[in-house]
Structure formats: C-alpha cells, structure tokens
Amino acid sequence: MRIELRSGTPAEVVGSSDERGLVLVPDIMGLRPLFDEMAARLAEEWQCCVVAPELYPGQEHLDLEGRFAAAASLTDGRVLGDMTAAADRTGAATVAAIGFCMGGMYVNKVVSTGRFDRLVSFYGMIHVPDGWRGPGQGEPLEHLSNGDPSCLLAVTGAADPYTPAEGVAELRASGVQVVEYDEAEHGFVHDPARPAHRPADAADAWQHAARWLWQLNGL
C-alpha cells in the first residue's frame, strides 16, 4: 500500500504488527519492484510492519546520473524526518531500520535521533561523497557521535570504496558493530542482478541482520 508521510513523501507499507516495525530505506534509485518485493518478504519472514520511504520525492523520474547530481540537494532534516515519521507509522512497540548504499548512509545518520531500537546499515557511506556534499548533508560520523552507536550494525565489504578500511576503523572506534566480508564490493547483498552480488555472503549478512534486529536465527 502506498501512503504519504506527513512531509508528503511517498512510502510503501506492508504488513502489520503491534510488536515489530521496520523502516526500510532503499538505495539511491529509490522505491521500485526490488524494494517492494523485499518489503513484502521481510514483513512476512520477520513478522513486522515495514514502511519504506522514497529518498527522492518528486524526483522519482531521475536516472542514476541525475540522482548523483541531485544528492547535494537532499537534507538530513527531511530524510531523517521521513524515517522517524515512517517509524511512527508502523505503530509498533519496537522499531528498527535497515538501509542500503545511500539508504545505509542515512541509517548511519539516524542514530542521532534516538528513535530506533536497532539499526543495520548495509554498506552505507561512512563519509558523505564529495559530489553529494551540500548545506543540508551532515557527516555520518558526526551524527553517530550524537547518539548511541552501539545500536548500529554496519555490514561492509573489504573491496568497497565507500567503506574503506580507515572508515571502517572509525566506525569500530565509535562503538558500531561491524561485519566485514573479504573481497566484497559495493552492493553485494541486496540486488541479485548486480555483478557485485555474492549469494553466500548475502545470505550470511541477512542472518546477521536478523539476529541483530530481532534475535532471530536467520531467514
């Protein structure tokens, strides 16, 4: 079901639960069948209400190049506000969030709100990429320092330029729990169509996420 959050941002809602809510933040390409299917799968397998907000409301037509160019115009106030509004929309007692790529970067940042019980960032940017810097884009590590980093699990790949070794060391030093996969590149978990996809590592990463968020033993 498509809804609008209080900001007017569209979001997908799947499932219902008084106990478990999950905010699912997509990658830079936003909501599309890949994330509709993921939301439905997680709602069923994790027995939760999933709310997935759009990252580029009103700009859904942009291609990848256009989204990279527009990233500097995104603001933490709007995106993190949409995430907390999505958390409220779940109506659940316990609310977690997961995000991928750009969505993972915002999961890193949303630690500062204190709204979420547990968080998983899949290869979220540790520093804002140069081309994405804008007046409304704060640094993920600064947001982390304003919250409780111990609630965050970061899933990273050792061959991912967005999560370089020095950045991963900064995450660990801040108190974030990190699971790193050797030779894995950016985007190795969530999209089987990507050349970087690693099925065995992806399955293991999902199990880590399930245990971290809900103390489940896997999918």
Side-chain angles (χ1 to χ4, degrees):
M1 175 176 68
R2 288 294 172 109
I3 63 163
E4 284 191 357
L5 301 173
R6 26 180 201 262
S7 64
T9 295
E12 179 76 10
V13 180
V14 185
S16 63
S17 172
D18 294 333
E19 296 300 319
R20 292 178 182 168
L22 179 70
V23 175
L24 169 60
V25 191
D27 60 24
I28 193 171
M29 291 308 297
L31 296 181
R32 57 192 190 277
L34 173 69
F35 283 97
D36 294 338
E37 293 164 9
M38 184 186 297
R41 175 175 65 84
L42 295 178
E44 179 179 357
E45 294 180 348
W46 289 354
Q47 292 296 290
C48 61
C49 176
V50 180
V51 181
E54 174 59 58
L55 280 171
Y56 285 81
Q59 298 180 296
E60 292 92 337
H61 64 283
L62 292 175
D63 61 10
L64 180 60
E65 183 177 351
R67 287 173 184 249
F68 266 86
S73 67
L74 300 179
T75 66
D76 294 339
R78 197 270 302 166
V79 179
L80 302 186
D82 284 345
M83 292 173 69
T84 58
D88 295 342
R89 177 59 179 79
T90 68
T94 299
V95 185
I98 64 174
F100 301 84
C101 307
M102 175 183 272
M105 180 182 76
Y106 282 109
V107 167
N108 291 341
K109 293 183 181 188
V110 86
V111 169
S112 63
T113 69
R115 177 62 180 87
F116 295 88
D117 296 278
R118 282 292 178 104
L119 301 156
V120 178
S121 169
F122 290 87
Y123 26 84
M125 291 72 184
I126 300 167
H127 295 277
V128 179
D130 289 343
W132 297 7
R133 295 182 185 277
Q137 286 274 26
E139 280 294 326
L141 290 170
E142 291 179 9
H143 279 279
L144 279 168
S145 70
N146 291 322
D148 178 11
S150 68
C151 70
L152 174 64
L153 173 68
V155 176
T156 66
D160 183 350
Y162 291 111
T163 59
E166 59 272 21
V168 171
E170 290 177 287
L171 284 181
R172 288 196 168 104
S174 75
V176 172
Q177 180 73 33
V178 178
V179 178
E180 187 173 41
Y181 291 85
D182 292 340
E183 301 180 4
E185 300 176 5
H186 192 67
F188 68 96
V189 174
H190 73 290
D191 186 354
R194 293 175 71 125
H197 186 66
R198 296 168 66 89
D201 286 345
D204 187 71
W206 278 117
Q207 289 181 6
H208 275 287
R211 288 193 295 268
W212 182 260
L213 297 177
W214 318 115
Q215 289 76 54
L216 299 179
N217 291 324
L219 303 183

